[in-house]
Amino acid sequence: MNDLDKIVFYMKEEINKQADVEVERIQKEADEIRKREEKKVIDEAKKEADLHLEAAKRKMNQNKAQMISQYQSDKTKTLIQQRNVYTEKLFEEAKEKLLDFCSSDEYLEYMKKKISKYTFDQKVKVYVKKEDLKLEKMFKEKLDCEVLEGNIEIGGFKIETLNQQVMDETLDSALKDQRVWFEDHSMMILQ
């Protein structure tokens, strides 16, 4: 091999070495760029996954809160219905006992005691239930009155003066007032 061939050979070899070094440097740089891009894609994917996870958690918590609220609402409705059933039953039983009382001999004494509380210097109207019209004589002995059938279901009486003042001694009103008191004080109030 002559000198020129040797020089060309060494030059080729040197060029190949430098080319290999340059190829290696480019490959390293390409690997670093690829790793950075991979990391960027992975970080973005994690960030997006975290956002989706947080949105899913919020939705689940919202659904949970709605379910709890619906359960509490349903439970309250059930308790209210049950309370109403008990209250209705209790006051139906009380009404039946009052009706039984109105059929007893003690009722006449009760009516006499109640009417004796009143005195008027004018003629009044006394309203009673239909079955109590038979007590007209007792009322007229105590008061200057006209005894009329009134809108009374259980018993007792109402007195109405000429100036429209009304004294209500009906068992109907007493039971109604007791029901209001009971509902306010019975500890069956739902909060």
Side-chain angles (χ1 to χ4, degrees):
M1 191 185 273
N2 67 24
D3 285 335
L4 187 59
D5 285 337
K6 281 184 183 180
I7 292 175
V8 170
F9 174 75
Y10 286 122
M11 282 176 68
K12 278 185 184 179
E13 212 171 277
E14 192 60 34
I15 289 172
N16 283 338
K17 281 182 188 178
Q18 283 183 359
D20 287 343
V21 167
E22 190 62 26
V23 165
E24 192 177 317
R25 184 187 65 76
I26 291 173
Q27 282 179 341
K28 276 185 179 179
E29 194 174 306
D31 284 346
E32 286 175 16
I33 290 171
R34 183 183 48 79
K35 285 179 183 177
R36 279 196 310 264
E37 290 302 314
E38 271 182 10
K39 184 177 181 335
K40 188 191 281 185
V41 167
I42 289 171
D43 288 347
E44 285 178 16
K46 281 183 181 178
K47 187 176 179 180
E48 195 170 316
D50 288 344
L51 289 173
H52 285 295
L53 182 62
E54 284 303 313
K57 283 181 183 178
R58 278 194 305 276
K59 183 71 173 168
M60 283 177 26
N61 286 336
Q62 235 176 9
N63 289 343
K64 179 181 168 185
Q66 285 175 342
M67 288 172 62
I68 289 170
S69 178
Q70 184 63 45
Y71 170 77
Q72 288 173 334
S73 176
D74 291 346
K75 182 178 161 187
T76 299
K77 285 178 189 174
T78 301
L79 289 172
I80 288 171
Q81 288 171 343
Q82 194 63 42
R83 179 193 65 193
N84 291 343
V85 166
Y86 288 147
T87 301
E88 196 60 40
K89 183 178 178 185
L90 176 70
F91 279 87
E92 279 300 315
E93 288 175 11
K95 181 179 175 182
E96 289 302 317
K97 288 183 180 185
L98 287 171
L99 287 168
D100 289 344
F101 169 71
C102 292
S103 301
S104 72
D105 294 335
E106 297 165 343
Y107 181 61
L108 179 59
E109 290 305 313
Y110 169 81
M111 293 288 272
K112 284 179 182 177
K113 183 178 176 183
K114 285 289 184 179
I115 198 68
S116 66
K117 294 186 335 184
Y118 296 99
T119 57
F120 299 97
D121 57 358
Q122 60 184 330
K123 188 169 184 172
V124 295
K125 293 180 182 177
V126 176
Y127 295 95
V128 295
K129 69 179 183 176
K130 184 178 182 178
E131 295 82 359
D132 288 346
L133 287 172
K134 63 186 178 197
L135 302 175
E136 181 176 8
K137 182 179 175 188
M138 183 216 40
F139 285 108
K140 288 192 174 197
E141 287 174 0
K142 304 285 184 184
L143 300 172
D144 180 15
C145 65
E146 179 182 2
V147 179
L148 303 165
E149 181 181 344
N151 188 17
I152 300 170
E153 184 181 353
I154 301 172
F157 59 89
K158 286 183 186 178
I159 300 173
E160 183 180 344
T161 63
L162 293 176
N163 62 356
Q164 307 290 317
Q165 185 181 8
V166 176
M167 280 62 65
D168 191 341
E169 291 287 348
T170 63
L171 296 173
D172 304 61
S173 291
L175 184 62
K176 182 180 174 186
D177 292 345
Q178 282 299 305
R179 184 173 186 142
V180 169
W181 182 92
F182 177 81
E183 288 172 351
D184 289 344
H185 297 87
S186 68
M187 303 304 282
M188 290 177 63
I189 297 170
L190 299 176
Q191 297 178 0

